[in-house]
Structure formats: C-alpha cells, structure tokens
C-alpha cells in the first residue's frame, strides 16, 4: 500500500467501537481515500462536495459518519413525522442499495436507527405506515418523496443532514423541479453533502447554491483498473459483433447499455435468434421484476443484462467483469458512470464501446472530455468501412478520419495496474 494510506486506519478517524467492529467484520481493512478525506469533516458537521471515482466507497464515506452522529448524539426524530437524515438518489435500485448499506453498517448498534426507503413503483401505503412517528434516515427517490409529503406522511422541516448521492444527476435538468420543491421544505440550517464521481462544470453553480462554506474534495476520476476499448463496426453488423464477442470471450456476466427501452427489447430478441439469452432492464418493467432481474444478474443467474441508463448510476455489482456500450451514452459523465459498474473496489474490469459511423463524432467528444485517448480497434470479420455503408441511415454523419487497427488489439490507455486504496497508482 502506498504511503498515503499507510497510517490512516478507520480507528484513527474517531469512529465508535460499534462501527469499527462492523467494518472489520465486513473486511473493510482500511478506509479508501474518499473515506479518509470525508469522514472527519462530516463528523464535524461541515458541508462537503466530494468527487471520487466509481466504486471507491462513497456510500460508506457518508453513511458511516452519519450513523456515528446518530449513535453518539442521540440525534433522533422528534415526535411527529419528522426525518433527521435525508438521502436523495436518482433510482429506486440505488435507494434500496443504500438502505441495505445503512442497515448493514449499523447491525451492532444497541439502538438501531429507523431507516425508511421511499421509492416509486411499489405500494405507497406501506411507506406511509413506516413513516409514522418519523425516521432517523430516509433514502428516497424524489417523486415518491413528494407524494408522501403531499399526503402529510412526512415532514422535512427538521432535516439536519441532506445527502445528494449522484449529486450531479440530482442537480441536473431531469430532477430540477422535484429537487427544488424538496429543497424549499428543508431548514436553511442543515448539513449538506454532495457525492458523485463526476461534477460537470454546468452543475457546479447549482451545487454551490446548496452548500454552506463547504469543504471540497476532488479526487482522481479515472478508474485505472478498467481496461477501456472502442471498436468500430458498420451499424448493420453491430448485433452480430456483440454476439460474436459474448461467445468468443465466453463472458459469464456482461452488462450491455443501450440508449432506449425499445433498443434493449429489440437487441434481446436479436441476440435470442443468435442463441444468446439476454434479459432487459428498463423503466417499463414492473418494480418487482426490476428487483428480481438485478439480483439474478448479481448472483450470476443472468449472464447478459441489457439496460438503459437507469442502471448506469451507483449500482454496485461486485466483480462485474464487462460493460458494453452497444450505443453511446448522451454525456461524457454518463460514460464514466456506465463503465464504472465494473472495476469496482479495486477489481479489474473491461469496458467496450461498439461504435458505428454515426457515433464517431460523439465518441470523439466523450474521448476528449474524459481525456481517454482510446485507439479505435476493429475485429476481424466485422471491420468498419471507411465510410458508412450506403444502406445505412448514418451515411451523412461525420466519418472517422481513418479506421485504426485491424483486428489486433491496440490501445493507448494505460494497462490495469495495482492501485493503493483505490486512489492513486502504486508505483
Ligand atoms: P461508489 O459509491 O464510490 O461508487 P460504493 O460505495 O458503492 O462505491 O462501494 C463500492 C464497493 O466497495 C462496495 O461493494 C463496498 O462494500 C466496498 N467498500 C467500500 N468501502 C470499503 C473499504 N474501506 N474496504 C473494502 N471495501 C469497501
Ligand atoms: Mg455510489
């Protein structure tokens, strides 16, 4: 381990024995960089803007100190439907995952925190019942939280700690209305914590507006253990190439991203015709189906999961080996989050983008913004033409300068190396 993390252990961060013992049980032998840098500030009650790469333990970085405050200060919901700590996230699966982490970290507490998960797509009545008498923690997606507020099931006027996980997503256009409504209901005097792997420039002013004299921690964004590749292919051959790669590499667990729900469905049926069983994960699926699909994928019962960007943020799939971009995500930040589903907690992973002519230009934008400098590859038998094929709708799109590589794997990005506690490289 590098000198940075050598002397910093969880017990030097001033954590309670109930937490230290639990972290040891979970084999968290030392805090990750973002945990080292965040936990002391959060314990002191400071506001924080924390940027650290995917899979580097940001959940524990906010969950552990907030649980400690619950434990030591007996901060608790007063009578009525008040909530002490509010954690807002973009997807239902992430809300459930963070709830599970909070429960897991606090199993040794004599006085267990009351944690309520608030998410859409399931019965609201059960959530209303649980919220009676308030909660120590609510982990919520914004829409359902607002529904519960409208029904007087919960009041935010005594929130002491607000966390936005995937903060740039929460502060982006998609959640702007809902988030504004929620923020208006919060007390001005509170602790606000923003966590994400990406903080694009355009959201920084929104972040600053929420924070009060924040500490800002911005760690490196690149996950060195993810081997990133980009393969060019004619659009009509993309599905065949994907099927070829899955079979050829004998991948046992692969997460494939497509941009639209219909593309996911369509792709699954085209793969089925090629003898590959794939399941689809998108927002048209019922919530109980979504939950089952994700857990079956995590246990390895589903080999190929085709998902929209609802699976791009926060979801922790341990040791996932491969992520495929069947289509590119809209933004460079989304690219970072998608590929960050693999290569978590210091594990190795591989992220492959399949791009055809209409995507070359957009890929260059992602490549440049994220400073990837990937070298485009071709796979023998699936080589992309110099220009888009005549029957291809993308023919008018800007062509790639010159296809590079011919079947042989070449890349300019650095190979996977050992990292210290998921921060900087071990020299
Ligand atoms: P992030 O939010 O930064 O993407 P997560 O909080 O989901 O990452 O954590 C990624 C994985 O690392 C999880 O499986 C988590 O249990 C594990 N983890 C977090 N902190 C530690 C630690 N200090 N030691 C070992 N594993 C950890
Ligand atoms: Mg996270």
């Amino acid at each position: 381990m590098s000198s940075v993390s050598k002397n910093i252990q969880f017990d030097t961060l001033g954590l309670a024995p109930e937490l230290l013992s639990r972290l040891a049980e979970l084999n968290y032998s030392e805090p990750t960089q973002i945990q080292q840098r965040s936990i002391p500030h959060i314990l002191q009650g400071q506001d924080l803007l924390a940027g650290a790469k995917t899979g580097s333990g940001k959940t524990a970085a906010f969950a552990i100190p907030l649980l400690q405050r619950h434990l030591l200060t007996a901060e608790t919901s007063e009578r009525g439907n008040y909530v002490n700590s509010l954690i807002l996230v973009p997807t239902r699966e992430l809300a459930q995952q963070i709830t599970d982490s909070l429960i897991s970290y606090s199993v040794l507490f004599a006085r267990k925190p009351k944690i309520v998960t608030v998410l859409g797509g399931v019965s609201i009545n059960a959530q209303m019942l649980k919220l009676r008498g308030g909660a120590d923690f609510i982990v919520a997606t914004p829409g359902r939280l607002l529904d519960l507020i409208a029904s007087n099931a919960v009041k935010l006027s005594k929130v002491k700690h607000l966390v936005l996980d995937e903060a740039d997503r929460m502060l982006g256009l998609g959640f702007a209305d809902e988030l504004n409504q929620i923020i208006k209901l919060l007390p001005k005097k509170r602790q606000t914590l923003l966590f994400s792997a990406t903080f694009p420039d355009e959201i920084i002013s929104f972040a600053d507006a929420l924070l009060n004299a924040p500490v800002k921690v911005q760690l490196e964004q690149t996950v060195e253990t993810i081997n990133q590749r980009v393969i060019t292919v004619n659009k009509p051959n993309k599905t065949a190439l994907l099927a070829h790669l899955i079979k050829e590499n004998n991948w046992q667990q692969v997460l494939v991203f497509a941009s639209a729900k219909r593309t996911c469905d369509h792709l699954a049926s085209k793969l089925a015709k090629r003898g590959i069983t794939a399941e689809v994960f998108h927002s048209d699926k019922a919530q109980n189906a979504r939950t089952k699909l994700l857990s079956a994928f995590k246990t390895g019962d589903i080999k190929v999961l085709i998902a929209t960007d609802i699976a791009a943020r926060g979801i922790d799939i341990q040791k996932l080996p491969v992520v495929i971009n069947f289509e590119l995500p809209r933004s460079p930040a989304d690219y970072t989050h998608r590929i960050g589903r693999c290569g978590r907690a210091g594990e190795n992973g591989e992220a492959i983008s399949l791009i055809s002519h209409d995507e070359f230009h957009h890929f260059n934008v992602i490549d440049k913004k994220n400073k990837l400098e990937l070298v485009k590859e071709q796979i023998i038998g699936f080589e992309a033409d110099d220009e888009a094929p005549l029957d291809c709708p993308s023919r008018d799109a800007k062509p790639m300068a010159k296809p590079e590589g011919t079947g042989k794997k070449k890349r300019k990005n650095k190979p996977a190396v050992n990292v210290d506690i998921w921060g900087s490289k071990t020299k």
Side-chain angles (χ1 to χ4, degrees):
M1 290 292 151
S2 82
S3 55
V4 182
S5 53
K6 198 160 59 190
N7 298 318
I8 300 183
Q9 296 297 330
F10 277 114
D11 58 7
T12 64
L13 295 174
L15 296 174
E18 293 89 331
L19 283 164
L20 290 175
S21 305
R22 181 58 185 155
L23 292 169
E25 283 179 3
L26 291 169
N27 291 323
Y28 284 20
S29 51
E30 54 185 324
T32 64
Q33 287 205 2
I34 192 61
Q35 291 163 1
Q36 295 171 25
R37 302 275 298 273
S38 304
I39 291 173
H41 296 299
I42 300 177
L43 288 175
Q44 283 164 18
Q46 288 173 288
D47 279 12
L48 181 70
L49 181 136
K53 62 192 168 190
T54 52
S56 64
K58 293 187 290 295
T59 314
F62 63 78
I64 296 285
L66 290 181
L67 284 166
Q68 163 125 335
R69 289 186 68 111
H70 163 82
L71 190 70
L72 296 188
T73 61
E75 276 181 3
T76 187
S77 44
E78 296 170 41
R79 288 163 81 90
N81 299 340
Y82 297 109
V83 52
N84 192 56
S85 292
L86 175 63
I87 301 169
L88 293 175
V89 299
T91 66
R92 299 166 184 173
E93 286 73 19
L94 186 53
Q96 191 56 55
Q97 182 179 299
I98 291 176
T99 302
D100 294 344
S101 297
L102 285 166
I103 293 171
S104 169
Y105 297 145
S106 59
V107 288
L108 301 178
F109 288 22
R111 187 176 61 90
K112 302 268 183 304
K114 182 175 172 190
I115 305 164
V116 181
T117 321
V118 162
L119 45 81
V122 294
S123 151
I124 196 168
N125 294 338
Q127 292 170 8
M128 281 179 168
L129 275 178
K130 281 197 194 136
L131 283 168
R132 282 205 187 145
D136 297 304
F137 289 84
I138 289 182
V139 190
T141 53
R144 176 55 66 85
L145 180 65
L146 286 166
D147 292 343
L148 285 161
I149 291 167
S151 326
N152 279 324
V154 61
K155 294 195 181 71
L156 302 187
S157 54
K158 295 191 177 171
V159 167
K160 293 197 179 70
H161 315 277
L162 169 71
V163 180
L164 303 187
D165 193 22
E166 306 298 339
D168 57 326
R169 176 85 180 88
M170 302 310 295
L171 293 168
L173 270 183
F175 285 107
D177 283 350
E178 290 170 327
L179 197 71
N180 281 334
Q181 290 180 57
I182 292 170
I183 301 286
K184 275 189 201 142
L185 301 171
L186 297 170
K188 288 228 158 44
K189 191 172 165 339
R190 59 164 197 265
Q191 181 179 37
T192 303
L193 309 170
L194 308 186
F195 278 82
S196 185
T198 52
F199 281 102
D201 297 343
E202 59 273 21
I203 67 102
I204 288 294
S205 59
F206 299 119
D208 282 336
L210 277 187
L211 296 162
N212 177 23
V215 174
K216 295 188 177 181
V217 179
Q218 185 64 61
L219 301 180
E220 204 198 327
Q221 192 185 302
T222 312
V223 185
E224 301 279 355
T225 56
I226 303 176
N227 178 25
Q228 298 180 54
R229 298 169 60 189
V230 55
I231 299 175
T232 59
V233 59
N234 290 338
K235 200 165 200 99
N237 294 342
K238 244 195 196 184
T239 308
L241 173 59
L242 176 62
H244 168 82
L245 289 172
I246 292 172
K247 288 180 183 166
E248 189 81 0
N249 293 290
N250 195 21
W251 285 325
Q252 295 305 305
Q253 207 186 18
V254 48
L255 179 59
V256 180
F257 281 103
S259 8
K261 295 177 239 184
R262 291 293 77 80
T263 325
C264 294
D265 297 336
H266 199 197
L267 181 56
S269 59
K270 287 198 293 183
L271 286 177
K273 287 187 191 131
R274 293 173 181 274
I276 295 171
T277 310
E279 299 288 344
V280 294
F281 183 82
H282 57 53
S283 60
D284 279 356
K285 295 265 168 191
Q287 189 51 35
N288 62 356
R290 274 166 64 166
T291 307
K292 279 190 192 141
L293 282 167
L294 190 61
S295 69
F297 185 59
K298 284 186 180 178
T299 55
D301 293 331
I302 293 173
K303 283 190 189 177
V304 182
L305 189 67
I306 306 173
T308 58
D309 279 309
I310 61 164
R313 293 264 184 172
I315 304 300
D316 187 44
I317 306 164
Q318 290 174 18
K319 298 183 196 294
L320 175 66
V322 192
V323 170
I324 303 280
N325 284 319
F326 185 77
E327 292 167 318
L328 291 175
R330 232 182 316 173
S331 73
D334 290 343
Y335 174 89
T336 301
H337 291 278
R338 279 186 181 184
I339 72 163
R341 293 321 95 210
C342 73
R344 302 177 68 73
E347 296 287 340
N348 287 321
E350 185 162 31
I352 305 179
S353 300
L354 308 183
I355 59 168
S356 36
H357 300 79
D358 57 330
E359 293 167 294
F360 288 175
H361 177 68
H362 186 49
F363 183 79
N364 290 341
V365 174
I366 292 174
D367 186 80
K368 195 166 173 207
K369 190 84 187 165
N370 289 338
K371 302 190 178 74
L372 305 177
E373 299 184 24
L374 297 187
V375 174
K376 296 184 178 91
E377 300 173 36
Q378 306 231 32
I379 299 293
I380 291 171
F382 300 90
E383 292 89 349
D385 297 336
D386 283 357
E387 287 196 33
L390 277 173
D391 58 346
C392 182
S394 60
R395 199 170 147 68
D396 295 336
K398 207 174 162 185
M400 181 176 65
K402 207 174 181 214
E404 292 138 330
T406 43
K408 215 173 135 215
K409 196 175 133 188
K410 279 190 202 165
R411 60 188 161 75
K412 211 171 130 194
N413 67 323
K414 288 159 231 132
V417 289
N418 286 332
V419 288
D420 66 15
I421 193 73
W422 321 338
S424 55
K425 273 171 287 169
T426 308
K427 296 273 155 37

